[in-house]
Amino acid sequence: MSEKAERMLNKAQESSKLDCDEYQDQSLGEALTRDDINKMAIRSLALQASFNYERMQAAGWLYGLNPGLRKIHKNDTDMSRSMQLHMEFFNTHPFLVSFIMGVVLAMERSKERLSVIRAIKVAMMGPLGGIGDALFWLTLLPICAALGVSLAMEGSIMGPILFLLLFNAVHFGLRFGLAHYGYNAGSRAISALKEHTQKFSHAATIVGLTVVGGWVDCYLRSVADDCGGGSR
């Protein structure tokens, strides 16, 4: 485990109030439907609504999981343990959190040990935070902004509209798609995530910075041409 992941795990354990590592009811939980997963993805939009510096996104994280947990855990004691577990320290990229939610709910349905669920949750927080920053802030945002700004500078109202449509089409497509993929793949998705995290983040960062560099060059050329035209 990396040093960062170990710090996150220690932070989560410090905020834990659990005194038991297993659920009382070990039978397989009720399967979640497509509507259940979609509801989870919608509720994940509120991930940072109760953000604080003690447990970060924990309250929003539990809010997103709560309907699925109530369907899986019919035992009140098990539900209480699960809610206590998911009120521990949590922090990741808000656009990709639905993937972790899907994986965790699959493990909750299988009644995995609470320490295993905690470890898997913590192990995914950091990598998805890095991927999200590279994918959204350094790649998707500059590309969509460059397309929107190019139209807006010509006086077209389609500039901001195109920006919002493109950015949110990818955002919501990934939010809902990863929620279903995470739940259906379960813990099997973790190995693929670990294998490709670094390569994907590096590639996305290169693409994003290339787009920004190209846009800056075009903007500076446009300014230079305007200044030259004015001097004549």
Side-chain angles (χ1 to χ4, degrees), residues 45 93-98 131-132 134-137 139-145 147 161-179 200 204:
L45 291 166
H93 196 282
F95 290 3
L96 301 180
V97 69
S98 58
I131 289 177
L135 176 62
F136 289 101
W137 308 145
T139 304
L140 182 64
L141 184 62
I143 292 174
C144 295
L147 293 173
I161 294 175
L162 179 65
F163 166 73
L164 292 173
L165 288 177
L166 287 177
F167 186 83
N168 286 298
V170 177
H171 163 211
F172 283 101
L174 285 174
R175 186 181 289 270
F176 282 85
L178 288 175
F200 185 85

Side-chain angles (χ1 to χ4, degrees), residues 173-208:
L174 285 174
R175 186 181 289 270
F176 282 85
L178 288 175
H180 289 277
Y181 176 74
Y183 179 73
N184 293 328
S187 57
R188 297 192 307 274
I190 299 168
S191 59
L193 175 66
K194 289 183 178 179
E195 182 180 351
H196 301 294
T197 293
Q198 189 171 4
K199 294 179 180 178
F200 185 85
S201 297
H202 184 62
T205 300
I206 292 174
V207 172

Side-chain angles (χ1 to χ4, degrees), residues 144-159:
C144 295
L147 293 173
V149 167
S150 64
L151 290 176
M153 291 178 69
E154 297 175 0
S156 174
I157 188 62
M158 285 304 296

Side-chain angles (χ1 to χ4, degrees), residues 20 31 46 72 84-85 95 114 147 152 155 175 204 222 225:
C20 183
I72 291 170
Q84 287 180 18
L85 169 66
F95 290 3
L114 278 70
L147 293 173
R175 186 181 289 270
S222 175
D225 290 342

Side-chain angles (χ1 to χ4, degrees), residues 3-38:
E3 183 179 344
K4 182 177 180 181
E6 188 172 354
R7 288 200 305 269
M8 288 183 172
L9 182 59
N10 291 335
K11 183 72 174 177
Q13 290 173 332
E14 287 173 6
S15 62
S16 176
K17 296 182 179 180
L18 292 169
D19 54 3
C20 183
D21 194 33
E22 293 184 347
Y23 289 119
Q24 289 183 352
D25 182 4
Q26 288 294 309
S27 60
L28 186 67
E30 184 178 349
L32 301 183
T33 65
R34 187 176 184 84
D35 287 342
D36 293 329
I37 302 300
N38 286 337

